[in-house]
């Protein structure tokens, strides 16, 4: 078992600094430090950088906390620690409420976004790094102020 929660493990990984800042801005650190288990599809810093210019800065503003929370919780599956060897294709419910579509042909993908590093273990779950940011259907990043 890894030492450290999902948040603590992500905080110690230089690829997740933007994600950790977003989790803290949304007030989700305490939740993701809880017992879990969680499976987190975690966007890397490069994934956040690939969003349209200014999107991350807008998401981190207090006025956009609701949209940021929806986006972040759309990356989390609660109640299960799904290791890459156990991932199967299909739709999976997220904490946000919407389902994500997981495919396994030619590697694991979530809504078409590739898992680039799998099975980063934490004491309360597992992190799979992804090379894109999952956006729930009811969030429009272009409408952020």
């Amino acid at each position: 078992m890894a030492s450290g929660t999902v948040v603590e493990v992500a905080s110690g990984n230089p690829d997740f600094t933007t994600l950790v800042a977003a989790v803290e801005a949304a007030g989700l650190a305490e939740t993701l430090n809880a017992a879990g288990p969680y499976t987190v599809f975690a966007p890397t810093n490069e994934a956040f950088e690939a969003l349209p210019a200014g999107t991350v800065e807008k998401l981190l503003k207090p006025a956009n906390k609701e949209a940021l929370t929806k986006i972040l919780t759309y990356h989390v599956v609660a109640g299960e620690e799904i290791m890459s060897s156990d991932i199967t294709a299909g739709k999976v419910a997220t904490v946000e409420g919407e389902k994500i579509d997981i495919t396994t042909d030619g590697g694991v993908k979530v809504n078409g976004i590739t898992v680039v590093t799998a099975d980063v273990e934490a004491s309360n779950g597992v992190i799979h790094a992804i090379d894109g940011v999952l956006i729930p259907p009811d969030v429009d990043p272009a409408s952020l102020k």
Side-chain angles (χ1 to χ4, degrees):
M1 170 101 25
S3 62
T5 64
V6 167
V7 174
E8 292 165 344
V9 170
S11 294
N13 186 319
D15 290 332
F16 297 130
T17 55
T18 304
L19 175 63
V20 170
V23 165
E24 290 172 353
L28 293 172
E30 186 176 328
T31 300
L32 292 174
N33 276 324
Y38 301 106
T39 298
V40 179
F41 294 98
T44 62
N45 293 341
E46 287 182 359
F48 280 105
E49 290 165 11
L51 291 171
T55 302
V56 172
E57 292 78 9
K58 289 177 186 175
L59 282 170
L60 295 177
K61 290 181 179 179
N64 295 313
K65 184 175 179 181
E66 182 180 343
L68 178 61
T69 300
K70 283 183 172 222
I71 290 169
L72 293 174
T73 56
Y74 192 56
H75 291 80
V76 180
V77 177
E80 294 184 76
E81 181 178 329
I82 309 168
M83 302 304 285
S84 61
S85 58
D86 298 323
I87 291 177
T88 56
K91 296 202 179 287
V92 179
T94 67
V95 171
E96 188 268 340
E98 295 287 338
K99 291 186 176 184
I100 50 176
D101 187 28
I102 298 176
T103 58
T104 55
D105 293 338
V108 176
K109 291 188 178 186
V110 183
N111 289 2
I113 295 173
T114 304
V115 171
V116 292
T117 304
D119 302 335
V120 178
E121 293 188 65
S123 61
N124 65 341
V126 63
I127 301 168
H128 302 293
I130 57 176
D131 65 357
V133 178
L134 302 169
I135 306 292
D138 63 342
V139 174
D140 178 11
S143 70
L144 299 173
K145 299 177 179 92

